[in-house]
Amino acid sequence: MAYNNLIINSEANITTITINRPKKLNALNQDTIKELHDAFKVADADKSTKVIIVTGSGEKAFIAGADISEFADYSVEEGTHLAANGQQILFDFVENLSTPVIAAINGFALGGGLELAMACHFRVASNTAKMGLPEVSLGVIPGYGGTQRLTQLVGKGRALEMIMTAGMIDANKALSFGLVNHVVPQEALLELCETLAGKIKKNSSVAIRAAITAVNANFKTGVNGYQTEITAFGNCFGTKDFEEGTTAFLEKRKAEFPGE
Ligand code: COA
């Protein structure tokens, strides 16, 4: 698929997906959501991609939200479909991806932008970043999982304050909330994400996939996370990565994981 709104760069086992609509502050229109689905799917299927970084082009915005111009005249049915389809093809899809996804928040992460960052496995922000869920100022609520994931990440009181005030928090407040893991100057953002990706990619991709499944199980209704962990743990014993990891340790050498 040729992308009109994304730039993809794959290097040293890291695929960086850059949302590239800087004139619209990288707002998520439907075409961009479809392209992102495809780009994440392709990167996940590519065995040479060990980590995905998602960021926004320009210095101003990660993503300034869903594209308001597209849904301003939607009906109840269309609004419901917008949220359901978006959650399925992008936000849940990213959260449940086997390949680790890091959000590099380089500026405004608002509405659907913060929701995408929250669907990623963890977040790093530039000190210029501003985050918020301003939907109630438009007469709507977050629809791409924001009410759930913000509550999981920062707790109910902070989530409701952010949602009800429709305000923005800066990067340091987001750090103190646990919404982002690190804050760095903008010019150091991708470098830090790549350093973290470099640490991740040395480890067993099969075990990392199992860890994502087990951690995500904690947030799924009707799923016993402890049981998911036991099953995923047991399955690791049947993998080549486990054989290599334990053998390399006992032989006092670095593991070369086959990813199987
Ligand atoms: N959807 C559609 N277009 C958007 C957008 C969005 N979510 N966010 C920004 N844009 C567009 C603006 O309409 C403007 O386009 P134009 O130049 O054709 O008029 C362009 O991006 C630049 O934005 P602008 O508002 O001029 O920049 P700013 O620096 O004055 O303000 C923001 C930046 C982020 C504070 C402001 O753009 C904003 O509030 N955006 C909407 C945020 C939002 O409510 N998101 C949740 C959507 S559910």
Side-chain angles (χ1 to χ4, degrees), residues 6 49 59 65 81 109 114-115 117 124 128-129 131 149 170 176 198 200 203 238 245 260:
L6 304 179
T49 293
E59 296 196 338
H81 176 74
L114 181 56
E115 289 174 299
V124 179
T128 57
M131 287 156 256
R149 292 192 183 97
D170 65 19
S176 75
I200 294 169
N203 298 318
E260 291 166 31

Side-chain angles (χ1 to χ4, degrees), residues 4 9 28 93 109 124 137 139 171 207 226 258:
N4 294 319
N9 179 48
L28 285 182
F93 188 74
V124 179
S137 70
Y226 291 97

Side-chain angles (χ1 to χ4, degrees), residues 215-226:
V215 171
N216 281 345
N218 188 39
F219 303 101
K220 292 199 196 305
T221 315
V223 173
N224 183 326
Y226 291 97

